[in-house]
Structure formats: structure tokens, C-alpha cells
């Protein structure tokens, strides 16, 4: 703006060049903000009174015709005309303003002025001092007429927490279902004869009371998923949601029981209502129990009472094993970080991108064989 306290036409041109309004209405709004146009529409009554003073009643008589200006004579004397002396010039302050009327009278002119006078607050602002186009993710039109992309309704839904980075699964995408199948699968007899076992019995001259059958893996028994919601597992909440979806897709969502806990499941578990804590009960014998926890390995500050110790976890695992259920623990740590007593009865599968199908199969097979010998 000008530093003299007054607004000139150059200030309007500078504002229009900087803001780049998209249409004439926005340009008129900028001019009104600078005080170069009246803020309100013209008064129809005042326009009618001014027209009557200038031309009389428009309905009764038309405005008087103009008198042609006198032409100077060839001798350079008095101008030719009717012999009247030229009239004296009237000052501009006294002379009434002569405006050209519109077809239809003053009412039509006032109506058109009211239609043009649209205030800035009556319509959405379509220009900005910093952004010339709508921001990404907002619906609108750009200056070139193309529409900007509409926002994703899923991101605007209540309760959805968005993050800057997309969740990356800790296991390889091609192997994650195979790893989870090894964790939740159990063995059952098939209808195919186990020829190596039959030959061993015949070689030892054992009595064949039944035909030995091959054993195969199945997920018909479902699984019980225990999710640790303690403070130590808070950084892995995205992995927790990913694991719940993965277990449901492999073992069947109708055959997976999801329980949440803090500390250990022995302190109480939560099913559907987070305000109700129920006592933990092991599933049916042979149903695998999948734990998503660090088993008290990580101890956050000022949370000593809420974190369960190794002895408490060992007592819980022994109760599940004695119920006839294999225990599989998906943990952020490696299996070597836990005690030997836990490694004998728990199959540890770390959240590591280097995990392989062979490692998961060997760990769960060892636990199943140990459970069959109990």
C-alpha cells in the first residue's frame, strides 16, 4: 500500500497482481476492501429523486432536447444564432450532475446495482494471500478450471488416527501367512498310511493292532490370541493390530478368541467390554495359545508394579501347558534373550524381517513334540 495514508488506483492494481482473483466478483471485493467502491448498494429512492430534479417526471415528459452551440461568424464578431448573448458559465459546484439514464428508468438501474453489490461475507473466500490454488486434499476448483481431489472420507471418520508413515509388517509379505500357519497349526491323523512307521513295526515284529496313519497340520481347532496392552508394548500397537488381522485370516475369524491383558493374563483378561475384567481360562486341550508380549522383558520407568516378573510368567505358562495347549509367543526380542526354562515350553517367533518359514516350523514342532510327551 501507499505510505501516504491514501489509496490510489495503483494500490488496487498491485493488490490484484499479488492476489490474482479468479473472477470479476473477487476483484470487486478487493476494490471494496480498499475503499475504492461504496460498501452499500445505491438507494433507489435517492436515485429517483435525483432523476426527477434533473429531468422532471420521467413518466410525463421526456428530457428537453439539447440546444446546439452557437457558431462563430466569418467576420470574427458575435456568434451566429438567435441574436442572444452567450450565457455565462455556471460553476461546477452549482451545476447539477448530468447522468445518462438507463432504458427503463431509475428503478432498473437501482435493481442492477443491487445485483452487482455482493458483499465479501455473503460467499466463500476463493483467494488467499499465500496459496493461489486450493490446498491438497480439499475439494474446490483451481484457477484453470480443473477440480482438486476430494478428501478421503476414511481419514475424516471419527476415531481414525492417522500417522505420517505407513505400517510395515515385521515379516516378509510372501512368508507372513506361512509363519502364522506354523504358529497356529496342530497335528491330526490323515487317511494316508504311514509306510515308514509300518515297516519299523514289521521289522521289530510288533503286533499290528491298528494301521499307522500319517499326521498332517490343520487349523481346525482355531487359536486363542492374547494381546499385551501394557506400557512396554505400546510402541508395537500397529504390529498388534496387524497380528490380530493375520491370525484371523489364517485360522478363521470365527475360531479365534481374542483376549487383552496387562501384566499377565493370570491377573485378568478383557474380551469385549474394556470395563469388565474376567478371570482367564485356558482353551480346550490341543488349541494353540498365541501370545503377543515381551513376557516382562522390558520394564518402563515407574511401572514396576504393573510389569510381571519372570516367576509370574513361568507360573502362567506352566498352567497353560498343563491344560494341554501349546504356547507360541510373538515377541520383539530374540529367543536367546529368554531363560532356558521358558524356551523349553514356549515357541518364540521374533518380530524380525529375517524370520523364515523353517525357523517358525522348527520352533513350533519342538513345542508340539514336548507337549505330546507330557
Amino acid at each position: 500500500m501507499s505510505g501516504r495514508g491514501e489509496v490510489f488506483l495503483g494500490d488496487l492494481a498491485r493488490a490484484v497482481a499479488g492476489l490474482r482473483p479468479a473472477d470479476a466478483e473477487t476483484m470487486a471485493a478487493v476494490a471494496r476492501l480498499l475503499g475504492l467502491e461504496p460498501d452499500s448498494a445505491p438507494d433507489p429512492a435517492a436515485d429517483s429523486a435525483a432523476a426527477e430534479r434533473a429531468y422532471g417526471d420521467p413518466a410525463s415528459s421526456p428530457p428537453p432536447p439539447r440546444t446546439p452551440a452557437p457558431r462563430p461568424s466569418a467576420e470574427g464578431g458575435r456568434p451566429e444564432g438567435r441574436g442572444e448573448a452567450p450565457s455565462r458559465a455556471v460553476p461546477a459546484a452549482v451545476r447539477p450532475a448530468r447522468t445518462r439514464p438507463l432504458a427503463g428508468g431509475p428503478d432498473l438501474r437501482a435493481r442492477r446495482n443491487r445485483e452487482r453489490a455482493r458483499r465479501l461475507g455473503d460467499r466463500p473466500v476463493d483467494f488467499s494471500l499465500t496459496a493461489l490454488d486450493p490446498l491438497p486434499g480439499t475439494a474446490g476448483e483451481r484457477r484453470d478450471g480443473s477440480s482438486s481431489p476430494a478428501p478421503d472420507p476414511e481419514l475424516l471418520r471419527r476415531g481414525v488416527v492417522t500417522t505420517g508413515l505407513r505400517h510395515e509388517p515385521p515379516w516378509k509379505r510372501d512368508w507372513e501367512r506361512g509363519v502364522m500357519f506354523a504358529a497356529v497349526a496342530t497335528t491330526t491323523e490323515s487317511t494316508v498310511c504311514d509306510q515308514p512307521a509300518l515297516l519299523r513295526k514289521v521289522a521289530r515284529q510288533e503286533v499290528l493292532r491298528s494301521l499307522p496313519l500319517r499326521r498332517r497340520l490343520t487349523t481346525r481347532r482355531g487359536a486363542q490370541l492374547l494381546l499385551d496392552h501394557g506400557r512396554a508394548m505400546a510402541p508395537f500397537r500397529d504390529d498388534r493390530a496387524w497380528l490380530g488381522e493375520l491370525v484371523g485370516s489364517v485360522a478363521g475369524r470365527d475360531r479365534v478368541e481374542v483376549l487383552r491383558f496387562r501384566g499377565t493374563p493370570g491377573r485378568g483378561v478383557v474380551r469385549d467390554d474394556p470395563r469388565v475384567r474376567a478371570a482367564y481360562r485356558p482353551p480346550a486341550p490341543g488349541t494353540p495359545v498365541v501370545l503377543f508380549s515381551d513376557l516382562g522383558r522390558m520394564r518402563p520407568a515407574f511401572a514396576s508394579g504393573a510389569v510381571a516378573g519372570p516367576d509370574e510368567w513361568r507360573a502362567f505358562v506352566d498352567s497353560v501347558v498343563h491344560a494341554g495347549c501349546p504356547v507360541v509367543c510373538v515377541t520383539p526380542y530374540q529367543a536367546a534373550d529368554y531363560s532356558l526354562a521358558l524356551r523349553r515350553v514356549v515357541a518364540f517367533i521374533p518380530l524380525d524381517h529375517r524370520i523364515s518359514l523353517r525357523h517358525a516350523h522348527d520352533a513350533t514342532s519342538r513345542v508340539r513334540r514336548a507337549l505330546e510327551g507330557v
Side-chain angles (χ1 to χ4, degrees):
M1 294 298 175
S2 174
R4 297 184 294 273
E6 301 177 358
V7 179
F8 296 93
L9 187 60
D11 297 327
L12 175 60
R14 192 176 306 167
V16 170
L19 297 177
R20 299 182 183 179
D23 49 14
E25 295 178 359
T26 307
M27 188 180 303
V30 175
R32 285 196 296 271
L33 290 176
L34 295 178
L36 296 181
E37 289 189 7
D39 292 337
S40 59
D43 189 1
D47 291 344
S48 300
E52 290 178 1
R53 287 195 304 268
Y55 306 111
D57 189 2
S60 60
S61 61
R66 294 183 179 181
T67 303
R71 293 172 298 179
S73 61
E75 290 82 2
R78 181 177 294 181
E80 296 180 1
R82 299 177 182 179
E84 299 178 359
S87 60
R88 190 176 48 173
V90 180
V94 182
R95 186 167 46 201
R98 301 181 64 181
T99 57
R100 186 176 182 180
L102 295 174
D107 295 338
L108 179 59
R109 179 176 59 184
R111 185 167 61 253
R112 290 184 177 179
N113 289 337
R114 286 197 302 270
E115 293 176 357
R116 293 194 191 101
R118 296 184 60 188
R119 294 186 176 275
L120 187 62
D122 297 339
R123 60 185 177 84
V125 179
D126 52 1
F127 66 91
S128 173
L129 295 178
T130 56
L132 300 180
D133 287 334
L135 296 177
T138 59
E141 292 187 357
R142 297 188 176 93
R143 294 192 309 274
D144 55 358
S146 61
S147 60
S148 59
D152 188 2
E154 185 66 19
L155 299 180
L156 302 180
R157 184 168 57 87
R158 177 181 289 273
V160 176
V161 180
T162 59
T163 57
L165 299 177
R166 182 175 57 89
H167 175 253
E168 183 68 23
W171 300 335
K172 294 182 180 180
R173 295 184 181 274
D174 298 338
W175 294 356
E176 58 183 15
R177 293 182 60 86
V179 172
M180 185 51 59
F181 178 81
V184 300
T186 56
T187 58
T188 183
E189 290 183 350
S190 64
T191 58
V192 181
C193 176
D194 189 358
Q195 296 182 3
L198 179 60
L199 293 177
R200 285 194 298 269
K201 288 186 176 183
V202 172
R204 289 194 294 263
Q205 299 181 358
E206 296 181 2
V207 179
L208 295 177
R209 301 183 181 275
S210 61
L211 185 66
L213 301 177
R214 289 184 180 180
R215 304 186 67 84
R216 62 182 181 88
L217 297 176
T218 181
T219 59
R220 66 175 60 178
R221 295 183 179 178
Q224 185 183 70
L225 180 61
L226 301 177
L227 301 177
D228 190 349
H229 282 251
R231 292 178 55 185
M233 297 297 293
F236 306 97
R237 60 176 179 267
D238 293 337
D239 297 328
R240 182 170 57 213
W242 163 81
L243 185 67
E245 291 292 332
L246 183 60
V247 174
S249 64
V250 173
R253 291 178 175 83
D254 57 336
R255 294 194 294 265
V256 176
E257 182 184 14
V258 181
L259 303 177
R260 294 169 291 174
F261 69 93
R262 289 183 179 179
T264 61
R267 300 181 182 181
V269 294
V270 174
R271 286 179 170 84
D272 298 328
D273 192 355
R275 297 170 297 180
V276 179
R277 179 179 295 183
Y280 173 76
R281 293 181 179 179
T287 304
V289 176
V290 181
L291 272 167
F292 181 76
S293 175
D294 62 340
L295 302 187
R297 181 72 182 177
M298 185 184 302
R299 293 182 172 272
F302 308 105
S304 58
V307 178
D311 296 337
E312 188 175 359
W313 272 110
R314 179 59 192 272
F316 169 75
V317 170
D318 289 342
S319 64
V320 176
V321 171
H322 284 292
C325 301
V327 181
V328 179
C329 181
V330 180
T331 175
Y333 295 93
Q334 298 294 328
D337 296 334
Y338 295 94
S339 62
L340 181 60
L342 283 177
R343 294 202 302 269
R344 289 175 179 174
V345 293
V346 178
F348 289 97
I349 303 179
L351 294 173
D352 194 344
H353 199 68
R354 300 170 297 178
I355 193 69
S356 63
L357 296 176
R358 188 182 190 88
H359 173 84
H361 179 73
D362 293 345
T364 54
S365 299
R366 176 178 49 80
V367 171
R368 285 194 296 266
R369 289 194 300 267
L371 183 63
E372 292 174 357
V374 174

